[in-house]
Amino acid sequence: MNLEQSLRTEIQKAVSVLFNQSVEQLQLQPTNAEFEGSHTLVCFPLTRISKLKPEETANAIGNYLVEYSGIVNHFNVVKGFLNLVIADKVWAEVFAVIYANKNYGSLPDNGKEIMIEYSSPNTNKPLHLGHLRNNFLGYSVAELYKAVGYTVHKVQIINDRGIHICKSMAAWKLYGNGETPESSGLKGDKLVGKYYVEFDKHYKAQVKELEEKGVSKEEAEKQAPIMKLAIDMLQKWEAKDAETVQLWKTMNGWVYSGFDVTYKRMGVDFDKLYYESDTYLLGKDEVLKGVEKGIFFKKDDGSVWVDLTDDGLDQKVLLRSDGTSVYMTQDIGTAILRFRDFPKIEGQVYTVGNEQEYHFKVLFLILDKLGYEWAKQCYHLSYGMVDLPTGKMKSREGTVVDADDLMQEMVDAARAQTQELGKVDEMTAQEIDELAEMIGLSALKFFLLKVDPKKRMMFDPNESIQLQGHTGPFIQYTHARIKAILRKASSLNIAPDAKVLKDVSALESAERAIIFKINQYPAKVQEAAREYSPAIIVNYAYELAKEYNQFYQAIPIFSESDAGKLKFRVAFSQTTADTIKKAMALLGIRVPERM
RNA sequence: GGUCUCGUAGCUCAACUGGAUAGAGCAGCUGCCUUCUAAGCAGCAGGUUGCUGGUUCGAGUCCAGCCGGGAUCACCA
């Protein structure tokens, strides 16, 4: 039983003894910094039971806890707030338990499985800033679910078919001269992206030319030879024309190898990939079955619809009048396929931008109507757009921030800063590279994860490159700093053991603050998983590091003469470093031994 | 227009789900490296939480109505 639970139990005991009534709900919160204590019981709601004034209620409970609980040393009351001061002996015991637990913060395997989808790019454009937020979020939520006991399957669906990739193919065929990633030295995804842009350029020129000849805009857009070629390729692809399929495979292959490089640097991975070319025909049977069951209906032109007006939504098309599938149909099929592939998963998390909220609302509703129990366990992890100081990212205006470029800039900035601070004197070139990589990516990930996922956020390149303050590098620095202490402790043969810890009394307030923080860690992990919010861990890690730095600055560890106390300080420095490392790992951020 | 969503310090974000005098970082100003790493610490300054009402012991948080951003309402994906 942890401290908070014990405290709640004791308070409930107090209430039932003092007021002869039981309560389940207690408002227990951290004490404001300005008052003495760590835990505060809000007593206003209890006045109904106590029939006393808030202050009197608080005093009565406080006295009882000091007398009987064995946890509370003393207390103070401000208005209806009962501020409790936990006995140092209890803190020491709490810490001793944490110190001995190697898996602190992780729950044991709960036998449940969950699927998390993220990234899911198109194959015609390189990954950009928006994908970075998506990937970091999805990866982190997966780590959070692992930490609370789930087996997690990370997947993505790659949008590898359709007119967009045919556009790149058409442009490459016309203007590529056989260019390959090898011959050009370009990353595969960049090469294909280049031809997508190329397509657009020529297409616009051709449309303009036709218009100048007196063709209407609408007609010109249809007649532009390059567009005709792209459409022709799409039809050939669907007819499984060998040459077209081969080109498609080749160019997508380039994209995948390019993406792999980017994913690797980002530090994300996937357990299974779904390709839209495999799944785009799925779902149709399911929809037709739905028609038979009367869940969906057919219009006179043959198109199939679902009526969601009773649920406050619209009617939505599921099959076109020519019988072909739409986006929604595919997603229905893919969802069902995934539950067949992984029968044990209890639900799916879709990490997709909030512009698709309506789509997923409809999707989950349809799956529910089709009778799939798991539909209720599907969750759209909807995140807000990333804005630039100049406004929205627009590919047409060339304001898209490329993922590879950005990561490189961050790493370069980290290297420059590290060198400027003179931290690299004793490092090899390889060590410097590794450190710069770690720091640069930490700054980026921390920056993108610190905001509540649901909210739209601002990405200011100048601010993101900051390595001081509320940043990943600040936390990494704290970790490295603690490691330096531990190295010194080890060289002095100071080895803490759990037995000594319990005997420590008279803690400094900075020490209590850190133990209090460390003690919160498991609850924070669970909250973050429940809320699908890595931002909770980001802020937790920051607060813990901040707390430690205050201690570090205020109390010189090795000047302590009491051997027990010295060991205690080394021990909780160790645990702080471990907790920082674990928390950062949940965010996909590594921490260095020195920096 | 319907639906959803956001609005907190000059800027970027918090606020434990209704609790105390709304907190951090950046930017600005003051201090602190002969002691474990100054990518740090301590401090100053900065707020009518978009506006107006309501609910109650208590509202940034809940409700209503305005004002202002954004998203979405395709036989596109």
Side-chain angles (χ1 to χ4, degrees):
Chain A
M1 186 145 42
N2 67 37
L3 177 61
E4 186 142 313
Q5 281 168 349
S6 313
L7 203 49
R8 281 176 188 277
T9 308
E10 291 302 321
I11 294 168
Q12 281 165 336
K13 239 187 258 175
V15 170
S16 74
V17 170
L18 294 168
F19 311 125
N20 224 357
Q21 278 195 51
S22 62
V23 283
E24 307 93 60
Q25 288 294 328
L26 289 173
Q27 278 191 55
L28 202 56
Q29 61 189 37
T31 305
N32 277 14
E34 64 199 290
F35 303 114
E36 197 195 2
S38 58
H39 297 76
T40 293
L41 180 70
V42 183
C43 293
F44 298 99
L46 296 172
T47 53
R48 213 166 298 148
I49 293 174
S50 69
K51 307 269 195 274
L52 294 170
K53 289 179 184 165
E55 292 88 338
E56 295 166 354
T57 309
N59 274 304
I61 296 172
N63 281 319
Y64 180 96
L65 291 174
V66 170
E67 185 80 15
Y68 300 106
S69 74
I71 298 175
V72 177
N73 184 269
H74 56 283
F75 68 93
N76 63 81
V77 173
V78 182
K79 292 187 242 175
F81 298 94
L82 172 60
N83 300 322
L84 301 169
V85 178
I86 306 298
D88 283 346
K89 177 174 61 78
V90 175
W91 280 126
E93 278 166 16
V94 164
F95 176 69
V97 172
I98 293 171
Y99 184 73
N101 180 2
K102 287 282 159 255
N103 295 317
Y104 184 62
S106 309
L107 296 178
D109 188 346
N110 62 11
K112 294 181 185 170
E113 296 188 15
I114 192 165
M115 176 172 286
I116 298 180
E117 175 195 296
Y118 63 98
S119 201
S120 301
N122 288 345
T123 56
N124 57 329
K125 282 182 224 157
L127 302 170
H128 57 68
L129 179 55
H131 292 111
L132 288 174
R133 189 177 196 192
N134 180 309
N135 276 272
F136 295 156
L137 259 178
Y139 179 85
S140 179
V141 168
E143 291 304 305
L144 285 166
Y145 267 85
K146 285 184 199 168
V148 296
Y150 282 78
T151 298
V152 177
H153 304 282
K154 293 181 273 190
V155 303
Q156 60 169 330
I157 182 149
I158 298 163
N159 186 2
D160 63 343
R161 63 163 280 281
I163 190 69
H164 57 84
I165 184 68
C166 291
K167 288 179 181 176
S168 303
M169 285 157 60
W172 183 86
K173 203 169 180 182
L174 291 172
Y175 311 107
N177 295 318
E179 192 177 34
T180 66
E182 290 74 27
S183 74
S184 65
L186 277 175
K187 252 174 105 242
D189 53 328
K190 295 285 160 64
L191 181 65
V192 173
K194 176 180 139 188
Y195 284 100
Y196 189 74
V197 172
E198 203 72 5
F199 173 92
D200 210 48
K201 211 171 75 191
H202 285 95
Y203 175 58
K204 272 183 188 151
Q206 289 176 3
V207 169
K208 198 177 165 197
E209 202 182 308
L210 285 166
E211 278 183 302
E212 277 163 6
K213 284 184 191 161
V215 183
S216 75
K217 191 184 178 195
E218 215 171 278
E219 198 56 28
E221 283 173 352
K222 277 184 201 159
Q223 282 186 12
I226 194 166
M227 180 59 94
K228 277 179 141 173
L229 178 60
I231 291 168
D232 179 54
M233 285 177 126
L234 180 59
Q235 282 163 353
K236 280 185 176 161
W237 181 88
E238 283 179 356
K240 298 191 166 60
D241 170 67
E243 195 191 328
T244 309
V245 169
Q246 189 51 49
L247 178 60
W248 172 79
K249 274 190 182 160
T250 304
M251 290 184 72
N252 272 340
W254 293 344
V255 173
Y256 301 146
S257 54
F259 281 174
D260 282 347
V261 171
T262 307
Y263 287 139
K264 192 165 181 217
R265 192 167 205 187
M266 285 159 93
V268 305
D269 54 13
F270 304 90
D271 300 310
K272 185 173 169 70
L273 307 181
Y274 287 87
Y275 296 92
E276 204 185 281
S277 54
D278 294 330
T279 63
Y280 81 109
L281 296 174
L282 295 174
K284 189 174 170 177
D285 295 346
E286 204 67 32
V287 170
L288 292 176
K289 266 190 259 168
V291 174
E292 278 170 33
K293 288 185 199 156
I295 302 167
F296 309 132
F297 69 95
K298 210 172 228 180
K299 286 193 178 171
D300 291 342
D301 62 3
S303 57
V304 174
W305 295 72
V306 60
D307 186 353
L308 298 169
T309 46
D310 288 348
D311 301 285
L313 305 173
D314 306 325
Q315 294 191 344
K316 195 87 190 164
V317 70
L318 297 177
L319 290 176
R320 299 188 185 97
S321 49
D322 64 5
T324 54
S325 295
V326 295
Y327 177 42
M328 185 63 74
T329 326
Q330 295 171 31
D331 267 7
I332 293 168
T334 308
I336 293 165
L337 173 68
R338 286 176 177 174
F339 278 92
R340 285 199 193 121
D341 287 349
F342 298 91
K344 288 174 73 185
I345 57 174
E346 63 171 34
Q348 281 196 62
V349 176
Y350 293 85
T351 312
V352 181
N354 63 5
E355 68 273 11
Q356 293 202 38
E357 264 168 23
Y358 185 76
H359 172 78
F360 283 102
K361 210 180 268 181
V362 171
L363 174 64
F364 300 156
L365 211 49
I366 289 173
L367 290 168
D368 186 47
K369 281 181 189 294
L370 284 170
Y372 293 102
E373 272 301 309
W374 43 258
K376 291 186 175 60
Q377 304 299 322
C378 287
Y379 180 77
H380 175 201
L381 171 46
S382 162
Y383 63 92
M385 195 173 292
V386 184
D387 286 320
L388 299 171
T390 48
K392 242 186 190 178
M393 277 200 293
K394 289 229 172 83
S395 53
R396 248 171 263 157
E397 291 163 22
T399 55
V400 173
V401 178
D402 179 79
D404 294 314
D405 294 349
L406 181 57
M407 286 192 282
Q408 189 57 45
E409 277 168 36
M410 299 296 288
V411 170
D412 289 344
R415 184 183 290 107
Q417 178 96 11
T418 304
Q419 273 161 349
E420 198 178 310
L421 289 169
K423 304 259 183 180
V424 296
D425 303 345
E426 291 168 15
M427 290 187 190
T428 65
Q430 197 195 341
E431 282 170 337
I432 295 171
D433 283 347
E434 271 170 28
L435 185 59
E437 189 76 21
M438 237 189 247
I439 296 173
L441 277 159
S442 136
L444 184 57
K445 290 184 186 186
F446 194 92
F447 194 91
L448 288 172
L449 289 174
K450 73 179 179 187
V451 181
D452 181 342
K454 292 191 285 290
K455 290 189 181 166
R456 168 183 275 260
M457 71 176 289
M458 170 73 74
F459 184 85
D460 184 340
N462 296 326
E463 197 183 323
S464 70
I465 238 155
Q466 276 281 353
L467 309 178
Q468 287 95 24
H470 192 211
T471 67
F474 166 81
I475 297 168
Q476 292 178 312
Y477 176 74
T478 309
H479 178 267
R481 194 182 227 187
I482 297 174
K483 285 294 178 174
I485 285 179
L486 297 175
R487 281 192 294 272
K488 182 169 178 180
S490 145
S491 74
L492 295 171
N493 286 319
I494 301 165
D497 56 285
K499 276 179 209 156
V500 184
L501 301 178
K502 287 188 190 171
D503 299 333
V504 170
S505 57
L507 298 175
E508 302 287 339
S509 67
E511 296 170 328
R512 275 193 289 263
I514 293 170
I515 297 173
F516 178 76
K517 216 64 203 166
I518 292 174
N519 188 45
Q520 279 185 325
Y521 180 61
K524 289 288 181 185
V525 174
Q526 285 160 52
E527 186 190 348
R530 192 175 60 241
E531 306 279 331
Y532 305 92
S533 178
I536 290 169
I537 299 300
V538 166
N539 288 315
Y540 172 81
Y542 174 71
E543 286 162 18
L544 177 59
K546 181 112 186 135
E547 210 76 74
Y548 188 87
N549 279 327
Q550 285 170 8
F551 160 80
Y552 178 91
Q553 214 78 223
I555 299 166
I557 294 179
F558 293 105
S559 59
E560 174 60 54
S561 53
D562 182 303
K565 227 170 198 179
L566 180 57
K567 283 186 180 180
F568 176 75
R569 284 180 182 164
V570 170
F572 87 71
S573 294
Q574 166 87 58
T575 303
T576 303
D578 290 346
T579 307
I580 286 174
K581 188 174 185 172
K582 283 180 195 170
M584 295 292 263
L586 294 176
L587 304 171
I589 300 176
R590 294 178 298 147
V591 290
E593 294 295 306
R594 47 188 104 214
M595 72 183 268

